Amino acid sequence: MTALDLVTSSAVPSTLSALRAPRPAGGSLVQQFEYGLDAPICLTWELTYACNLSCVHCLSSSGRRDPRELSTAQCESVIDELQAMQVFYVNIGGGEPTVRPDFWHLLDYAVDHQVGVKFSTNGVRITPDRARFLASSNYVDVQVSLDGATAEVNDHVRGVGSYAMARTALTNLAEAGFKDAKISVVVTRHNVGQLDDFKKLADDHGATLRLTRLRPSGRGADVWDELHPTQSQQRDLYNWLLNAGERVLTGDSFFHLAGFGESLPGLNLCGAGRVVCLIDPVGDVYACPFAIHEEFLAGNVLESGGFATVWRTSELFADLRSPQTSGACTRCQFFDSCRGGCMAAKFFTGLPLDGPDPECVQGYGESALADPDREARSSSQDHSHRTTRAGVGPVPVEIGFGIPAPSAPPVHACAENPLAGFDPLGR
């Protein structure tokens, strides 16, 4: 659940106020939000880059721990700020956040300071005991990542054994009485035909299905051409989402699909620097969780004034909150619905930010991608395990061609053993 899953008009007054540009009187909620908030409704916080998996589409290129990551005390200070700013909740990810030795302490600290926590996990540490602990809190939400409704599809992207691990975590949560866990699915051309199966899996576990878009950032840039849904699959996804309505969450990942005609439920808005942002493991603040690149770096929480100063005075954020131009897209009859698409998707595929989304459903992205002068970009950070193929070309992910699925990488000293002290039997 992102801010755009959570927000309702009743949630607006405590945070909505003008920043730099004069806020128009009246107008839609989207038009109001485009001018930014005094504090983000929520933010994404990658606590660590350490991870026990090496998913081929990882948008943060996670794997090895960054030795500069924020200390426990520094993380507590950030939480104190979020409480003072009245941030509704923080969406914690990674890497795999639960491999941080102080993860459970920080979760407790946030809840005790009235900052709700939603964390994303591959399930590695959701033991029966931990599931019961999570079920005892009313201010924590758990999002289990699963990118295939079958082990064949999931493990080919996330690694051998990851399907079983995620299913075990979901079972542990359900048996502990945890209410409404989320099953988080990155939609690819290999799993888009499994949407009904994902929904049934969620229903069977008393969970809610959440679908997100594949972005060409991090390691995802290497496999985006091979994994992003085809044009016909996008139409199928759009129809499925319209039919599902609010029973399936999307965090407004798919507002580019509004170019088919009818807008999907939600704000259908790029919230980067307006209602959401990202704090990375070393405290750098980026405008968008999907755009870890120096061009979208707004500051660092360790600087004078902390996170609040970055959020409220960053020149980058001020620019994003100003009226945006969208080039030729403004002449398209669907611009008011899709708003030109995803900033991160355009940036990492080498398209201009005032141009069409690379997956524009009206086909304008295809001609933009064909530009011979286009240069795809890479994320500024890469903490991939050295056993991956990072930097040597696309990772083969086609299913059924005899290509072995990626396995969980060995843990070595430079990773500072992210699973040190973990008993898989939960003893």
Side-chain angles (χ1 to χ4, degrees):
M1 184 185 301
T2 68
L4 305 184
D5 287 324
L6 175 75
V7 68
T8 63
S9 57
S10 63
V12 174
S14 66
T15 55
L16 187 61
S17 67
L19 282 176
R20 292 174 181 266
R23 186 180 304 282
S28 69
L29 194 62
V30 169
Q31 290 170 327
Q32 294 289 311
F33 275 18
E34 285 183 321
Y35 284 81
L37 307 181
D38 274 345
I41 294 173
C42 84
L43 57 87
T44 296
W45 187 356
E46 311 285 27
L47 274 183
T48 183
Y49 285 124
C51 190
N52 53 307
L53 299 180
S54 287
C55 302
V56 299
H57 59 347
C58 178
L59 63 90
S60 60
S61 297
S62 289
R64 292 175 290 123
R65 175 183 175 272
D66 191 315
R68 303 170 299 153
E69 69 184 30
L70 299 179
S71 67
T72 301
Q74 289 168 334
C75 290
E76 290 174 350
S77 294
V78 172
I79 293 169
D80 292 341
E81 273 201 271
L82 301 183
Q83 179 187 23
M85 295 173 71
Q86 296 184 305
V87 172
F88 293 146
Y89 77 96
V90 59
N91 189 2
I92 292 179
E96 171 54 42
T98 65
V99 303
R100 258 191 77 131
D102 60 358
F103 171 76
W104 303 106
H105 163 74
L106 293 174
L107 184 150
D108 273 339
Y109 190 88
V111 170
D112 289 344
H113 288 74
Q114 294 79 50
V115 178
V117 173
K118 181 178 188 68
F119 70 92
S120 300
T121 177
N122 56 43
V124 64
R125 280 186 161 165
I126 308 301
T127 63
D129 283 346
R130 286 301 180 188
R132 286 189 289 270
F133 163 76
L134 292 166
S136 68
S137 174
N138 292 323
Y139 217 30
V140 176
D141 202 2
V142 184
Q143 183 170 288
V144 179
S145 297
L146 194 66
D147 291 332
T150 60
E152 178 192 18
V153 174
N154 179 84
D155 290 8
H156 213 87
V157 173
R158 300 188 63 84
V160 173
S162 59
Y163 178 81
M165 184 167 63
R167 289 292 303 267
T168 297
L170 289 166
T171 298
N172 289 343
L173 289 168
E175 292 181 349
F178 187 91
K179 302 299 183 184
D180 197 27
K182 307 300 183 291
I183 296 178
S184 180
V185 178
V186 176
V187 179
T188 70
R189 68 181 57 178
H190 296 311
N191 66 24
V192 70
Q194 298 183 320
L195 297 180
D196 289 335
D197 296 327
F198 281 123
K199 185 65 172 64
K200 182 178 186 306
L201 185 64
D203 292 343
D204 289 347
H205 287 83
T208 296
L209 178 61
R210 183 173 188 273
L211 304 180
T212 59
R213 182 181 177 185
L214 175 71
R215 265 83 170 195
S217 57
R219 288 196 295 270
D222 288 338
V223 298
W224 187 78
D225 287 339
E226 302 167 66
L227 284 184
H228 76 92
T230 64
Q231 184 80 347
S232 63
Q233 288 176 330
Q234 289 201 78
R235 168 64 81 169
D236 292 342
L237 170 62
Y238 171 73
N239 292 335
W240 193 90
L241 288 172
L242 280 180
N243 183 62
E246 295 182 358
R247 294 179 296 116
V248 173
L249 302 177
T250 65
D252 288 278
S253 283
F254 301 103
F255 62 90
H256 70 294
L257 297 181
F260 279 127
E262 183 178 348
S263 294
L264 297 169
L267 290 175
N268 289 295
L269 164 76
C270 173
R274 297 174 174 130
V275 296
V276 298
C277 67
L278 168 76
I279 300 176
D280 85 346
V282 303
D284 283 338
V285 181
Y286 293 89
C288 171
F290 310 111
I292 303 176
H293 190 280
E294 58 261 17
E295 289 203 25
F296 299 103
L297 177 61
N300 188 285
V301 299
L302 300 181
E303 296 170 355
S304 177
F307 172 73
T309 295
V310 176
W311 177 260
R312 291 169 179 164
T313 68
S314 161
E315 291 184 8
L316 170 66
F317 287 172
D319 183 58
L320 290 172
R321 294 163 189 165
S322 300
Q324 302 293 303
T325 60
S326 293
C329 282
T330 57
R331 297 194 295 272
C332 176
Q333 62 176 315
F334 299 107
F335 174 72
D336 288 339
S337 298
C338 79
R339 312 299 293 178
C342 173
M343 176 183 73
K346 288 187 273 192
F347 179 80
F348 286 113
T349 53
L351 301 185
L353 297 186
D354 64 352
D357 189 290
E359 292 184 283
C360 169
V361 298
Q362 294 298 315
Y364 299 120
E366 295 176 12
S367 56
L369 290 172
D371 184 348
D373 295 326
R374 176 179 65 91
E375 293 185 11
R377 302 175 178 92
S378 300
S379 297
S380 299
Q381 303 288 332
D382 190 343
H383 291 80
S384 300
H385 289 285
R386 294 193 176 105
T387 53
T388 68
R389 296 184 54 188
V392 294
V395 178
V397 293
E398 293 296 330
I399 294 176
F401 286 81
I403 300 169
S407 61
V411 176
H412 45 77
C414 69
E416 298 200 11
N417 197 350
L419 296 182
F422 172 58
D423 184 345
L425 299 180
R427 293 174 295 196

